[in-house]
């Protein structure tokens, strides 16, 4: 929690609001969480505090760890706080630099991604990934004509955000299905789903993390040999061995706000999906297999493996 910081009240309030938006999912998706974290650090940097480093580091950690499986935001903390400075401008520059890294990587990845989107294709997606949406939009603007089927993604219906954004951008063949229809769609109409495009919150050595429901989709796709593209920049790499303990559980009220008293819920919001033959990662380094993630990510972004300056003090 962002509390007890030496800051002007209104700046503190704005940072608390950013944190709340991340926790309540008003700000959702790995990229948006990382950008919100940068926005919070920038606000703090404009606060004229005496203890610049300590204050900004606390803000950054609170926002980047508001949701546990967001290495894109957490790697921002590693990158920005490698060095201690009394100058707030230093941290503003580091924020700009990290944001540019995100956008450059996304642009490169988008160029690669559109190559596997073809005229007449029928593609499935799950939840709301800004990365997947921008890839579809880019391909559409290039003149490719294809269909997208999105799951509604219970309990918070992020699939509705996906279809609205695609329709707003002019895509004409967009459908929404309930999550439970995926297996039947892939089985009964399997020849008609050309590929599945998914986002990722976290990339690990052996698998990736994405919205609950992704594992079921991937297992069905594996059985039916449907290609799965996990679209993710390598800045989402977390070098630690994946630990199921980090999977976030949320309030049962998100499933049923008026539930009968005493009802219990099981509420993980993310799945961990081991890499399989049919899963490839669309990244800023091209289309790669999961086994290449570790070497490529740490070569490209060596700071991911290093301790931040703050971890030493
Ligand atoms: C969002 C989700 C997205 C990834 C990738 O879950 O699982 O697929 O975060 O998003 P939630 P992006 O709604 O719980 O945040 O491609 O925008 O980084």
């Amino acid at each position: 929690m962002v509390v007890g910081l030496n800051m002007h009240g209104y700046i503190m309030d704005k940072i608390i609001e950013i944190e709340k938006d991340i926790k309540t999912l008003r700000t959702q998706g790995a990229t948006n969480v990382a950008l919100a974290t940068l926005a919070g650090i920038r606000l703090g940097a404009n606060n004229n505090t005496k203890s610049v480093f300590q204050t900004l580091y606390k803000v950054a950690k609170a926002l980047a760890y508001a949701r546990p499986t967001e290495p894109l935001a957490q790697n921002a903390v590693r990158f920005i706080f490698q060095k201690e400075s009394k100058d707030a401008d230093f941290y503003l520059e580091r924020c700009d630099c990290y944001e540019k890294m995100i956008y450059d990587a996304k642009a490169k990845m988008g160029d690669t991604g559109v190559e596997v989107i073809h005229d007449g294709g029928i593609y499935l997606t799950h939840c709301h990934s800004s990365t997947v949406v921008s890839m579809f939009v880019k391909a559409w603007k290039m003149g490719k004509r294809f269909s997208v089927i999105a799951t509604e993604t219970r309990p918070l219906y992020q699939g509705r955000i996906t279809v609205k954004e695609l329709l707003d951008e002019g895509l004409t063949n967009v459908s929404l299905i309930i999550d439970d229809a995926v297996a039947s769609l892939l089985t009964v109409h399997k020849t008609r789903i050309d590929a599945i495009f998914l986002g990722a919150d976290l990339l690990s050595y052996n698998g990736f993390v994405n919205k609950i429901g992704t594992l079921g989709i991937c297992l069905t796709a594996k059985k039916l040999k449907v290609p799965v593209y996990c679209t993710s920049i390598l800045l989402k790499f977390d070098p630690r061995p994946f630990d199921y303990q980090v999977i976030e559980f949320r309030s049962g009220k998100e499933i049923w706000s008026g539930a009968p008293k005493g009802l219990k819920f099981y509420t993980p919001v993310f799945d961990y999906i081991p890499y399989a033959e049919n899963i490839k990662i669309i990244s800023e380094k091209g289309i790669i297999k999961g086994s290449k993630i570790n070497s490529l990510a740490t070569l490209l972004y060596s700071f991911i493996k290093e301790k931040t300056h703050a971890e030493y003090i």
Side-chain angles (χ1 to χ4, degrees), residues 47-81:
N47 178 59
N48 285 330
T49 173
K50 280 186 194 134
S51 45
V52 174
F53 175 81
Q54 280 80 1
T55 307
L56 295 187
Y57 184 64
K58 275 187 195 155
V59 169
K61 281 210 63 168
L63 299 179
Y65 289 83
R67 297 191 74 195
T69 50
E70 299 299 355
L72 185 60
Q74 292 153 12
N75 285 333
V77 184
R78 293 181 168 277
F79 177 75
I80 293 165
F81 297 92

PDB file of all heavy atoms in Angstrom, residues 47-81:
ATOM      1  N   ASN A  47       7.161  15.877  -7.071  1.00  0.00           N
ATOM      2  CA  ASN A  47       6.690  16.238  -5.740  1.00  0.00           C
ATOM      3  C   ASN A  47       7.680  17.059  -4.913  1.00  0.00           C
ATOM      4  O   ASN A  47       7.342  17.560  -3.854  1.00  0.00           O
ATOM      5  CB  ASN A  47       6.352  14.923  -4.994  1.00  0.00           C
ATOM      6  CG  ASN A  47       5.909  15.137  -3.596  1.00  0.00           C
ATOM      7  OD1 ASN A  47       4.927  15.827  -3.374  1.00  0.00           O
ATOM      8  ND2 ASN A  47       6.614  14.577  -2.643  1.00  0.00           N
ATOM      9  N   ASN A  48       8.934  17.208  -5.412  1.00  0.00           N
ATOM     10  CA  ASN A  48       9.974  17.971  -4.704  1.00  0.00           C
ATOM     11  C   ASN A  48      10.305  17.438  -3.314  1.00  0.00           C
ATOM     12  O   ASN A  48      10.549  18.186  -2.397  1.00  0.00           O
ATOM     13  CB  ASN A  48       9.546  19.442  -4.528  1.00  0.00           C
ATOM     14  CG  ASN A  48       9.658  20.185  -5.823  1.00  0.00           C
ATOM     15  OD1 ASN A  48      10.511  19.854  -6.641  1.00  0.00           O
ATOM     16  ND2 ASN A  48       8.792  21.163  -6.013  1.00  0.00           N
ATOM     17  N   THR A  49      10.287  16.152  -3.150  1.00  0.00           N
ATOM     18  CA  THR A  49      10.625  15.603  -1.832  1.00  0.00           C
ATOM     19  C   THR A  49      12.150  15.617  -1.634  1.00  0.00           C
ATOM     20  O   THR A  49      12.910  15.613  -2.590  1.00  0.00           O
ATOM     21  CB  THR A  49      10.087  14.162  -1.692  1.00  0.00           C
ATOM     22  OG1 THR A  49      10.561  13.626  -0.491  1.00  0.00           O
ATOM     23  CG2 THR A  49      10.505  13.282  -2.835  1.00  0.00           C
ATOM     24  N   LYS A  50      12.586  15.590  -0.368  1.00  0.00           N
ATOM     25  CA  LYS A  50      14.038  15.581  -0.107  1.00  0.00           C
ATOM     26  C   LYS A  50      14.622  14.186  -0.364  1.00  0.00           C
ATOM     27  O   LYS A  50      15.686  14.025  -0.909  1.00  0.00           O
ATOM     28  CB  LYS A  50      14.305  16.000   1.347  1.00  0.00           C
ATOM     29  CG  LYS A  50      14.244  17.507   1.516  1.00  0.00           C
ATOM     30  CD  LYS A  50      14.655  17.912   2.925  1.00  0.00           C
ATOM     31  CE  LYS A  50      14.252  19.353   3.135  1.00  0.00           C
ATOM     32  NZ  LYS A  50      13.598  19.569   4.408  1.00  0.00           N
ATOM     33  N   SER A  51      13.879  13.154   0.059  1.00  0.00           N
ATOM     34  CA  SER A  51      14.405  11.792  -0.118  1.00  0.00           C
ATOM     35  C   SER A  51      13.843  11.183  -1.405  1.00  0.00           C
ATOM     36  O   SER A  51      12.992  10.306  -1.368  1.00  0.00           O
ATOM     37  CB  SER A  51      14.033  10.949   1.097  1.00  0.00           C
ATOM     38  OG  SER A  51      12.681  11.180   1.424  1.00  0.00           O
ATOM     39  N   VAL A  52      14.359  11.692  -2.524  1.00  0.00           N
ATOM     40  CA  VAL A  52      13.810  11.315  -3.841  1.00  0.00           C
ATOM     41  C   VAL A  52      13.822   9.797  -4.040  1.00  0.00           C
ATOM     42  O   VAL A  52      12.797   9.194  -4.361  1.00  0.00           O
ATOM     43  CB  VAL A  52      14.642  11.991  -4.962  1.00  0.00           C
ATOM     44  CG1 VAL A  52      14.199  11.512  -6.339  1.00  0.00           C
ATOM     45  CG2 VAL A  52      14.514  13.484  -4.872  1.00  0.00           C
ATOM     46  N   PHE A  53      15.005   9.208  -3.858  1.00  0.00           N
ATOM     47  CA  PHE A  53      15.148   7.785  -4.168  1.00  0.00           C
ATOM     48  C   PHE A  53      14.191   6.929  -3.335  1.00  0.00           C
ATOM     49  O   PHE A  53      13.422   6.125  -3.869  1.00  0.00           O
ATOM     50  CB  PHE A  53      16.603   7.339  -3.941  1.00  0.00           C
ATOM     51  CG  PHE A  53      16.808   5.873  -4.130  1.00  0.00           C
ATOM     52  CD1 PHE A  53      16.967   5.343  -5.405  1.00  0.00           C
ATOM     53  CD2 PHE A  53      16.816   5.004  -3.048  1.00  0.00           C
ATOM     54  CE1 PHE A  53      17.132   3.972  -5.594  1.00  0.00           C
ATOM     55  CE2 PHE A  53      16.980   3.640  -3.227  1.00  0.00           C
ATOM     56  CZ  PHE A  53      17.142   3.127  -4.503  1.00  0.00           C
ATOM     57  N   GLN A  54      14.231   7.119  -2.012  1.00  0.00           N
ATOM     58  CA  GLN A  54      13.403   6.286  -1.121  1.00  0.00           C
ATOM     59  C   GLN A  54      11.920   6.448  -1.440  1.00  0.00           C
ATOM     60  O   GLN A  54      11.173   5.480  -1.490  1.00  0.00           O
ATOM     61  CB  GLN A  54      13.643   6.647   0.359  1.00  0.00           C
ATOM     62  CG  GLN A  54      14.899   6.038   0.961  1.00  0.00           C
ATOM     63  CD  GLN A  54      16.157   6.814   0.577  1.00  0.00           C
ATOM     64  OE1 GLN A  54      16.080   7.823  -0.128  1.00  0.00           O
ATOM     65  NE2 GLN A  54      17.303   6.324   0.996  1.00  0.00           N
ATOM     66  N   THR A  55      11.513   7.695  -1.657  1.00  0.00           N
ATOM     67  CA  THR A  55      10.086   7.946  -1.901  1.00  0.00           C
ATOM     68  C   THR A  55       9.630   7.292  -3.199  1.00  0.00           C
ATOM     69  O   THR A  55       8.627   6.567  -3.241  1.00  0.00           O
ATOM     70  CB  THR A  55       9.828   9.470  -1.978  1.00  0.00           C
ATOM     71  OG1 THR A  55      10.357  10.061  -0.806  1.00  0.00           O
ATOM     72  CG2 THR A  55       8.350   9.773  -2.087  1.00  0.00           C
ATOM     73  N   LEU A  56      10.401   7.549  -4.260  1.00  0.00           N
ATOM     74  CA  LEU A  56       9.974   7.015  -5.563  1.00  0.00           C
ATOM     75  C   LEU A  56      10.038   5.492  -5.586  1.00  0.00           C
ATOM     76  O   LEU A  56       9.197   4.833  -6.202  1.00  0.00           O
ATOM     77  CB  LEU A  56      10.840   7.584  -6.681  1.00  0.00           C
ATOM     78  CG  LEU A  56      10.714   9.091  -6.904  1.00  0.00           C
ATOM     79  CD1 LEU A  56      11.478   9.523  -8.134  1.00  0.00           C
ATOM     80  CD2 LEU A  56       9.255   9.494  -7.037  1.00  0.00           C
ATOM     81  N   TYR A  57      11.032   4.945  -4.914  1.00  0.00           N
ATOM     82  CA  TYR A  57      11.166   3.487  -4.896  1.00  0.00           C
ATOM     83  C   TYR A  57       9.958   2.844  -4.196  1.00  0.00           C
ATOM     84  O   TYR A  57       9.421   1.836  -4.654  1.00  0.00           O
ATOM     85  CB  TYR A  57      12.468   3.095  -4.203  1.00  0.00           C
ATOM     86  CG  TYR A  57      12.732   1.612  -4.236  1.00  0.00           C
ATOM     87  CD1 TYR A  57      12.938   0.948  -5.441  1.00  0.00           C
ATOM     88  CD2 TYR A  57      12.758   0.863  -3.064  1.00  0.00           C
ATOM     89  CE1 TYR A  57      13.167  -0.419  -5.486  1.00  0.00           C
ATOM     90  CE2 TYR A  57      12.986  -0.508  -3.094  1.00  0.00           C
ATOM     91  CZ  TYR A  57      13.196  -1.139  -4.306  1.00  0.00           C
ATOM     92  OH  TYR A  57      13.409  -2.489  -4.347  1.00  0.00           O
ATOM     93  N   LYS A  58       9.507   3.485  -3.113  1.00  0.00           N
ATOM     94  CA  LYS A  58       8.330   2.951  -2.404  1.00  0.00           C
ATOM     95  C   LYS A  58       7.090   3.018  -3.294  1.00  0.00           C
ATOM     96  O   LYS A  58       6.296   2.091  -3.349  1.00  0.00           O
ATOM     97  CB  LYS A  58       8.085   3.742  -1.116  1.00  0.00           C
ATOM     98  CG  LYS A  58       8.916   3.232   0.030  1.00  0.00           C
ATOM     99  CD  LYS A  58       8.527   3.934   1.329  1.00  0.00           C
ATOM    100  CE  LYS A  58       9.598   3.687   2.368  1.00  0.00           C
ATOM    101  NZ  LYS A  58       9.646   4.714   3.389  1.00  0.00           N
ATOM    102  N   VAL A  59       6.933   4.150  -3.982  1.00  0.00           N
ATOM    103  CA  VAL A  59       5.781   4.296  -4.885  1.00  0.00           C
ATOM    104  C   VAL A  59       5.839   3.211  -5.959  1.00  0.00           C
ATOM    105  O   VAL A  59       4.860   2.500  -6.225  1.00  0.00           O
ATOM    106  CB  VAL A  59       5.797   5.695  -5.567  1.00  0.00           C
ATOM    107  CG1 VAL A  59       4.777   5.759  -6.699  1.00  0.00           C
ATOM    108  CG2 VAL A  59       5.533   6.786  -4.546  1.00  0.00           C
ATOM    109  N   ALA A  60       7.018   3.081  -6.563  1.00  0.00           N
ATOM    110  CA  ALA A  60       7.175   2.140  -7.679  1.00  0.00           C
ATOM    111  C   ALA A  60       6.862   0.712  -7.228  1.00  0.00           C
ATOM    112  O   ALA A  60       6.138  -0.017  -7.913  1.00  0.00           O
ATOM    113  CB  ALA A  60       8.593   2.223  -8.218  1.00  0.00           C
ATOM    114  N   LYS A  61       7.398   0.325  -6.061  1.00  0.00           N
ATOM    115  CA  LYS A  61       7.166  -1.054  -5.610  1.00  0.00           C
ATOM    116  C   LYS A  61       5.700  -1.303  -5.284  1.00  0.00           C
ATOM    117  O   LYS A  61       5.143  -2.347  -5.616  1.00  0.00           O
ATOM    118  CB  LYS A  61       8.040  -1.372  -4.397  1.00  0.00           C
ATOM    119  CG  LYS A  61       9.445  -1.679  -4.848  1.00  0.00           C
ATOM    120  CD  LYS A  61      10.236  -2.612  -4.028  1.00  0.00           C
ATOM    121  CE  LYS A  61       9.899  -3.994  -3.804  1.00  0.00           C
ATOM    122  NZ  LYS A  61      10.934  -4.788  -3.196  1.00  0.00           N
ATOM    123  N   ALA A  62       5.071  -0.318  -4.655  1.00  0.00           N
ATOM    124  CA  ALA A  62       3.654  -0.501  -4.300  1.00  0.00           C
ATOM    125  C   ALA A  62       2.813  -0.706  -5.560  1.00  0.00           C
ATOM    126  O   ALA A  62       1.925  -1.566  -5.593  1.00  0.00           O
ATOM    127  CB  ALA A  62       3.152   0.708  -3.520  1.00  0.00           C
ATOM    128  N   LEU A  63       3.103   0.063  -6.606  1.00  0.00           N
ATOM    129  CA  LEU A  63       2.287  -0.037  -7.819  1.00  0.00           C
ATOM    130  C   LEU A  63       2.633  -1.300  -8.623  1.00  0.00           C
ATOM    131  O   LEU A  63       1.755  -2.002  -9.111  1.00  0.00           O
ATOM    132  CB  LEU A  63       2.459   1.207  -8.690  1.00  0.00           C
ATOM    133  CG  LEU A  63       2.033   2.532  -8.028  1.00  0.00           C
ATOM    134  CD1 LEU A  63       2.264   3.707  -8.966  1.00  0.00           C
ATOM    135  CD2 LEU A  63       0.565   2.491  -7.598  1.00  0.00           C
ATOM    136  N   ALA A  64       3.917  -1.579  -8.740  1.00  0.00           N
ATOM    137  CA  ALA A  64       4.339  -2.707  -9.584  1.00  0.00           C
ATOM    138  C   ALA A  64       3.972  -4.055  -8.972  1.00  0.00           C
ATOM    139  O   ALA A  64       3.849  -5.048  -9.679  1.00  0.00           O
ATOM    140  CB  ALA A  64       5.839  -2.638  -9.830  1.00  0.00           C
ATOM    141  N   TYR A  65       3.826  -4.081  -7.631  1.00  0.00           N
ATOM    142  CA  TYR A  65       3.480  -5.344  -6.969  1.00  0.00           C
ATOM    143  C   TYR A  65       2.026  -5.346  -6.489  1.00  0.00           C
ATOM    144  O   TYR A  65       1.626  -6.241  -5.751  1.00  0.00           O
ATOM    145  CB  TYR A  65       4.448  -5.631  -5.810  1.00  0.00           C
ATOM    146  CG  TYR A  65       5.837  -6.007  -6.317  1.00  0.00           C
ATOM    147  CD1 TYR A  65       6.750  -5.025  -6.677  1.00  0.00           C
ATOM    148  CD2 TYR A  65       6.206  -7.342  -6.495  1.00  0.00           C
ATOM    149  CE1 TYR A  65       8.010  -5.357  -7.186  1.00  0.00           C
ATOM    150  CE2 TYR A  65       7.454  -7.681  -7.003  1.00  0.00           C
ATOM    151  CZ  TYR A  65       8.347  -6.680  -7.343  1.00  0.00           C
ATOM    152  OH  TYR A  65       9.581  -7.020  -7.854  1.00  0.00           O
ATOM    153  N   ALA A  66       1.241  -4.343  -6.935  1.00  0.00           N
ATOM    154  CA  ALA A  66      -0.174  -4.315  -6.553  1.00  0.00           C
ATOM    155  C   ALA A  66      -0.866  -5.578  -7.064  1.00  0.00           C
ATOM    156  O   ALA A  66      -1.804  -6.078  -6.454  1.00  0.00           O
ATOM    157  CB  ALA A  66      -0.853  -3.064  -7.112  1.00  0.00           C
ATOM    158  N   ARG A  67      -0.385  -6.074  -8.217  1.00  0.00           N
ATOM    159  CA  ARG A  67      -0.809  -7.397  -8.692  1.00  0.00           C
ATOM    160  C   ARG A  67       0.466  -8.227  -8.833  1.00  0.00           C
ATOM    161  O   ARG A  67       1.427  -7.786  -9.469  1.00  0.00           O
ATOM    162  CB  ARG A  67      -1.575  -7.275 -10.010  1.00  0.00           C
ATOM    163  CG  ARG A  67      -2.872  -6.464  -9.813  1.00  0.00           C
ATOM    164  CD  ARG A  67      -3.761  -6.538 -11.006  1.00  0.00           C
ATOM    165  NE  ARG A  67      -4.418  -7.819 -11.104  1.00  0.00           N
ATOM    166  CZ  ARG A  67      -5.021  -8.235 -12.232  1.00  0.00           C
ATOM    167  NH1 ARG A  67      -5.010  -7.474 -13.305  1.00  0.00           N
ATOM    168  NH2 ARG A  67      -5.625  -9.398 -12.268  1.00  0.00           N
ATOM    169  N   PRO A  68       0.493  -9.413  -8.235  1.00  0.00           N
ATOM    170  CA  PRO A  68       1.775 -10.118  -8.093  1.00  0.00           C
ATOM    171  C   PRO A  68       2.428 -10.633  -9.384  1.00  0.00           C
ATOM    172  O   PRO A  68       3.638 -10.784  -9.419  1.00  0.00           O
ATOM    173  CB  PRO A  68       1.442 -11.278  -7.155  1.00  0.00           C
ATOM    174  CG  PRO A  68      -0.035 -11.379  -7.121  1.00  0.00           C
ATOM    175  CD  PRO A  68      -0.614 -10.076  -7.532  1.00  0.00           C
ATOM    176  N   THR A  69       1.629 -10.905 -10.411  1.00  0.00           N
ATOM    177  CA  THR A  69       2.232 -11.530 -11.602  1.00  0.00           C
ATOM    178  C   THR A  69       2.411 -10.534 -12.739  1.00  0.00           C
ATOM    179  O   THR A  69       2.000 -10.777 -13.866  1.00  0.00           O
ATOM    180  CB  THR A  69       1.368 -12.714 -12.102  1.00  0.00           C
ATOM    181  OG1 THR A  69       0.026 -12.242 -12.215  1.00  0.00           O
ATOM    182  CG2 THR A  69       1.457 -13.905 -11.196  1.00  0.00           C
ATOM    183  N   GLU A  70       3.040  -9.403 -12.457  1.00  0.00           N
ATOM    184  CA  GLU A  70       3.213  -8.390 -13.499  1.00  0.00           C
ATOM    185  C   GLU A  70       4.688  -7.997 -13.676  1.00  0.00           C
ATOM    186  O   GLU A  70       5.099  -6.885 -13.338  1.00  0.00           O
ATOM    187  CB  GLU A  70       2.356  -7.152 -13.185  1.00  0.00           C
ATOM    188  CG  GLU A  70       0.858  -7.403 -13.122  1.00  0.00           C
ATOM    189  CD  GLU A  70       0.251  -7.926 -14.428  1.00  0.00           C
ATOM    190  OE1 GLU A  70       0.962  -8.013 -15.445  1.00  0.00           O
ATOM    191  OE2 GLU A  70      -0.938  -8.281 -14.422  1.00  0.00           O
ATOM    192  N   PRO A  71       5.511  -8.888 -14.225  1.00  0.00           N
ATOM    193  CA  PRO A  71       6.935  -8.551 -14.360  1.00  0.00           C
ATOM    194  C   PRO A  71       7.215  -7.361 -15.278  1.00  0.00           C
ATOM    195  O   PRO A  71       8.268  -6.734 -15.123  1.00  0.00           O
ATOM    196  CB  PRO A  71       7.577  -9.822 -14.930  1.00  0.00           C
ATOM    197  CG  PRO A  71       6.491 -10.743 -15.245  1.00  0.00           C
ATOM    198  CD  PRO A  71       5.237 -10.292 -14.583  1.00  0.00           C
ATOM    199  N   LEU A  72       6.306  -7.019 -16.186  1.00  0.00           N
ATOM    200  CA  LEU A  72       6.578  -5.848 -17.034  1.00  0.00           C
ATOM    201  C   LEU A  72       6.676  -4.598 -16.152  1.00  0.00           C
ATOM    202  O   LEU A  72       7.550  -3.747 -16.364  1.00  0.00           O
ATOM    203  CB  LEU A  72       5.473  -5.679 -18.091  1.00  0.00           C
ATOM    204  CG  LEU A  72       5.704  -4.573 -19.116  1.00  0.00           C
ATOM    205  CD1 LEU A  72       6.985  -4.795 -19.916  1.00  0.00           C
ATOM    206  CD2 LEU A  72       4.515  -4.456 -20.081  1.00  0.00           C
ATOM    207  N   ALA A  73       5.809  -4.507 -15.156  1.00  0.00           N
ATOM    208  CA  ALA A  73       5.877  -3.394 -14.200  1.00  0.00           C
ATOM    209  C   ALA A  73       7.039  -3.602 -13.228  1.00  0.00           C
ATOM    210  O   ALA A  73       7.760  -2.669 -12.886  1.00  0.00           O
ATOM    211  CB  ALA A  73       4.553  -3.294 -13.442  1.00  0.00           C
ATOM    212  N   GLN A  74       7.238  -4.844 -12.799  1.00  0.00           N
ATOM    213  CA  GLN A  74       8.291  -5.116 -11.800  1.00  0.00           C
ATOM    214  C   GLN A  74       9.686  -4.940 -12.398  1.00  0.00           C
ATOM    215  O   GLN A  74      10.606  -4.459 -11.735  1.00  0.00           O
ATOM    216  CB  GLN A  74       8.073  -6.519 -11.217  1.00  0.00           C
ATOM    217  CG  GLN A  74       6.792  -6.561 -10.381  1.00  0.00           C
ATOM    218  CD  GLN A  74       6.136  -7.922 -10.286  1.00  0.00           C
ATOM    219  OE1 GLN A  74       6.724  -8.942 -10.655  1.00  0.00           O
ATOM    220  NE2 GLN A  74       4.900  -7.973  -9.796  1.00  0.00           N
ATOM    221  N   ASN A  75       9.838  -5.277 -13.682  1.00  0.00           N
ATOM    222  CA  ASN A  75      11.131  -5.044 -14.337  1.00  0.00           C
ATOM    223  C   ASN A  75      11.393  -3.551 -14.523  1.00  0.00           C
ATOM    224  O   ASN A  75      12.545  -3.122 -14.624  1.00  0.00           O
ATOM    225  CB  ASN A  75      11.194  -5.779 -15.678  1.00  0.00           C
ATOM    226  CG  ASN A  75      11.382  -7.274 -15.482  1.00  0.00           C
ATOM    227  OD1 ASN A  75      11.947  -7.702 -14.474  1.00  0.00           O
ATOM    228  ND2 ASN A  75      10.907  -8.078 -16.422  1.00  0.00           N
ATOM    229  N   ALA A  76      10.326  -2.760 -14.582  1.00  0.00           N
ATOM    230  CA  ALA A  76      10.499  -1.297 -14.642  1.00  0.00           C
ATOM    231  C   ALA A  76      11.208  -0.827 -13.377  1.00  0.00           C
ATOM    232  O   ALA A  76      12.103   0.012 -13.421  1.00  0.00           O
ATOM    233  CB  ALA A  76       9.141  -0.605 -14.782  1.00  0.00           C
ATOM    234  N   VAL A  77      10.812  -1.400 -12.235  1.00  0.00           N
ATOM    235  CA  VAL A  77      11.437  -1.016 -10.964  1.00  0.00           C
ATOM    236  C   VAL A  77      12.927  -1.382 -10.995  1.00  0.00           C
ATOM    237  O   VAL A  77      13.795  -0.604 -10.602  1.00  0.00           O
ATOM    238  CB  VAL A  77      10.740  -1.710  -9.769  1.00  0.00           C
ATOM    239  CG1 VAL A  77      11.332  -1.231  -8.451  1.00  0.00           C
ATOM    240  CG2 VAL A  77       9.233  -1.449  -9.799  1.00  0.00           C
ATOM    241  N   ARG A  78      13.233  -2.573 -11.513  1.00  0.00           N
ATOM    242  CA  ARG A  78      14.638  -2.996 -11.619  1.00  0.00           C
ATOM    243  C   ARG A  78      15.428  -2.025 -12.495  1.00  0.00           C
ATOM    244  O   ARG A  78      16.546  -1.637 -12.164  1.00  0.00           O
ATOM    245  CB  ARG A  78      14.728  -4.381 -12.262  1.00  0.00           C
ATOM    246  CG  ARG A  78      14.165  -5.447 -11.407  1.00  0.00           C
ATOM    247  CD  ARG A  78      14.271  -6.823 -12.049  1.00  0.00           C
ATOM    248  NE  ARG A  78      13.963  -7.785 -11.019  1.00  0.00           N
ATOM    249  CZ  ARG A  78      14.831  -8.227 -10.134  1.00  0.00           C
ATOM    250  NH1 ARG A  78      16.080  -7.841 -10.189  1.00  0.00           N
ATOM    251  NH2 ARG A  78      14.473  -9.062  -9.188  1.00  0.00           N
ATOM    252  N   PHE A  79      14.828  -1.656 -13.610  1.00  0.00           N
ATOM    253  CA  PHE A  79      15.545  -0.797 -14.567  1.00  0.00           C
ATOM    254  C   PHE A  79      15.730   0.618 -14.017  1.00  0.00           C
ATOM    255  O   PHE A  79      16.817   1.179 -14.077  1.00  0.00           O
ATOM    256  CB  PHE A  79      14.742  -0.749 -15.877  1.00  0.00           C
ATOM    257  CG  PHE A  79      15.348   0.149 -16.911  1.00  0.00           C
ATOM    258  CD1 PHE A  79      16.481  -0.252 -17.613  1.00  0.00           C
ATOM    259  CD2 PHE A  79      14.810   1.396 -17.170  1.00  0.00           C
ATOM    260  CE1 PHE A  79      17.055   0.578 -18.558  1.00  0.00           C
ATOM    261  CE2 PHE A  79      15.378   2.237 -18.117  1.00  0.00           C
ATOM    262  CZ  PHE A  79      16.504   1.825 -18.816  1.00  0.00           C
ATOM    263  N   ILE A  80      14.664   1.164 -13.458  1.00  0.00           N
ATOM    264  CA  ILE A  80      14.681   2.583 -13.073  1.00  0.00           C
ATOM    265  C   ILE A  80      15.536   2.830 -11.829  1.00  0.00           C
ATOM    266  O   ILE A  80      16.212   3.846 -11.732  1.00  0.00           O
ATOM    267  CB  ILE A  80      13.223   3.076 -12.857  1.00  0.00           C
ATOM    268  CG1 ILE A  80      12.496   3.070 -14.197  1.00  0.00           C
ATOM    269  CG2 ILE A  80      13.181   4.467 -12.229  1.00  0.00           C
ATOM    270  CD1 ILE A  80      10.987   3.171 -14.096  1.00  0.00           C
ATOM    271  N   PHE A  81      15.559   1.869 -10.917  1.00  0.00           N
ATOM    272  CA  PHE A  81      16.228   2.108  -9.631  1.00  0.00           C
ATOM    273  C   PHE A  81      17.574   1.396  -9.507  1.00  0.00           C
ATOM    274  O   PHE A  81      18.020   1.091  -8.409  1.00  0.00           O
ATOM    275  CB  PHE A  81      15.286   1.746  -8.477  1.00  0.00           C
ATOM    276  CG  PHE A  81      14.071   2.627  -8.467  1.00  0.00           C
ATOM    277  CD1 PHE A  81      12.917   2.238  -9.130  1.00  0.00           C
ATOM    278  CD2 PHE A  81      14.107   3.871  -7.867  1.00  0.00           C
ATOM    279  CE1 PHE A  81      11.796   3.065  -9.171  1.00  0.00           C
ATOM    280  CE2 PHE A  81      12.994   4.701  -7.903  1.00  0.00           C
ATOM    281  CZ  PHE A  81      11.837   4.302  -8.560  1.00  0.00           C
TER     282      PHE A  81
END
